[in-house]
Amino acid sequence: MNDKVLKVVFPIAGRGTRTLPASKAVPKEMLPVLDRPLIQHSFEEAVSSGFEQFLFITGRDKGAIEDHFDRHPDLEQALSDKGQALAAIRDFIPPPADISFVRQQEPLGLGHAVWCARHFSAGDPVAVVLTDDLILADQPCLAQLLEVQAELGGNVVAVMEVPKDQTSRYGVIDPGAGGSETVIPIAGLVEKPAPEDAPSNLAVVGRYVLQPEIFAELARMEKGAGGEIQLTDAMARLIGKMPFHAVVFEGRRFDCGSAAGLLEANLAYGLNDETFAPGLRSAIKEFL
Ligand code: G1P
């Protein structure tokens, strides 16, 4: 087993009903934030956090994502004939076979999607990234989790505070004793609890570092909230068997599974980018 976490899984089989009509004929992961598709942001977060092997759990109609992470010789030729730079279309693509794709085949839930990565894990720990959750941070959120994982071992998930009336949208942690303000031992995990049943207002966002034992739990295929096989339930069964911590990450999360979240992300990323910020600032002033 490899102690260092080098493998990362992107479950991307979900349909994207909250971003219609934009995602009717285009995978929601290909919708742009600034100058690149959403999925490229998540991918670059993983690369800059030190990950080396990438698995996409895909589904029907996600072919554009495979094409995006493939070389495009005709386009490269056309650009170089015109004397244009190739970096933007080529530099983010890893060597062949460092990136692979598996079909989920049926939409049975996030837990089922992650289970599809069991052979990729091959006994090693994996990180999981939900691309709907875009996180703008000084230090990539995945790198923040890896630091805690290297120190404390076991499983680590990212959490943030949410208003109590929103707990039913998330996995929610039951904070255990000890820890610090930003690194909290997990005593329990509940998927999408009603506010009155929620053990806290600390919600899991889509960044996880998981030990390979997760796959045996997922293999039980037990259905949970919404009749789906839930990653949260499988993780909950590992509590007490190994260290399990929540990290209140530094950074801002955007729910890019919704049109409003995408719009906010575009503004925030635009204002954070030295090329786009000056023009965007003056455009915003004109609109207001
Ligand atoms: C998934 C997880 C949930 C987590 C959320 C974060 O839910 O099941 O535990 O809090 O992502 O975005 P989904 O948004 O897929 O319903």
Side-chain angles (χ1 to χ4, degrees):
M1 175 173 133
N2 205 331
D3 279 344
K4 201 156 180 258
V5 192
L6 299 171
K7 298 179 176 179
V8 57
V9 180
F10 302 87
I12 51 167
R15 257 193 177 277
T17 49
R18 290 190 296 140
T19 43
L20 289 170
S23 53
K24 186 180 171 206
V26 174
K28 62 175 172 169
E29 296 80 7
M30 290 300 292
L31 298 176
V33 172
L34 212 57
D35 61 348
R36 61 203 63 196
L38 189 49
I39 187 133
Q40 193 176 332
H41 287 281
S42 306
F43 185 77
E44 287 171 347
E45 178 187 332
V47 171
S48 57
S49 301
F51 287 90
E52 293 178 1
Q53 292 180 47
F54 312 89
L55 178 69
F56 294 81
I57 309 293
T58 71
R60 190 158 292 280
D61 301 328
K62 299 284 180 172
I65 297 170
E66 261 184 79
D67 288 343
H68 188 70
F69 286 94
D70 191 11
R71 292 280 295 272
H72 194 325
D74 293 349
L75 180 59
E76 289 179 19
Q77 190 60 53
L79 289 184
S80 48
D81 288 350
K82 287 186 188 167
Q84 290 180 7
L86 300 180
I89 61 155
R90 207 172 62 182
D91 280 8
F92 65 92
I93 300 171
D98 285 357
I99 185 164
S100 46
F101 300 83
V102 165
R103 285 257 193 155
Q104 191 186 358
Q105 297 178 345
E106 281 182 282
L108 298 178
L110 177 60
H112 179 261
V114 174
W115 175 76
C116 295
R118 63 199 181 283
H119 299 309
F120 172 74
S121 153
D124 290 333
V126 294
V128 175
V129 175
L130 306 187
T131 55
D132 279 1
D133 289 330
L134 182 62
I135 299 174
L136 182 59
D138 291 337
Q139 184 189 21
C141 184
L142 277 175
Q144 296 177 44
L145 296 197
L146 285 181
E147 265 183 24
V148 173
Q149 203 282 332
E151 197 189 324
L152 301 174
N155 303 306
V156 180
V157 298
V159 294
M160 67 176 193
E161 281 190 35
V162 297
K164 196 83 190 198
D165 63 358
Q166 290 180 14
T167 55
S168 60
R169 298 186 198 169
Y170 301 96
V172 175
I173 70 158
D174 181 6
S180 66
E181 259 179 40
T182 53
V183 180
I184 303 167
I186 295 182
L189 273 165
V190 193
E191 181 67 7
K192 303 202 167 77
E196 59 274 20
D197 302 327
S200 75
N201 67 339
L202 287 169
V204 176
V205 301
R207 302 289 182 281
Y208 310 79
V209 179
L210 299 170
Q211 295 305 311
E213 286 80 356
I214 194 70
F215 293 103
E217 299 301 335
L218 291 169
R220 290 163 60 166
M221 299 289 163
E222 279 173 23
K223 289 186 179 159
E228 296 188 348
I229 298 163
Q230 295 289 356
L231 179 60
T232 300
D233 298 341
M235 291 193 302
R237 291 197 289 267
L238 294 180
I239 297 169
K241 296 184 182 153
M242 58 181 69
F244 207 142
H245 292 87
V247 175
V248 184
F249 61 96
E250 170 279 313
R252 167 132 194 203
R253 172 259 192 183
F254 300 91
D255 174 14
C256 290
S258 76
L262 270 170
L263 192 55
E264 283 170 26
N266 270 290
L267 274 177
Y269 275 71
L271 293 170
N272 195 50
D273 183 289
E274 58 184 30
T275 311
F276 290 90
L280 184 57
R281 261 180 225 290
S282 50
I284 292 172
K285 269 191 207 138
E286 265 176 54
F287 298 151
L288 289 175

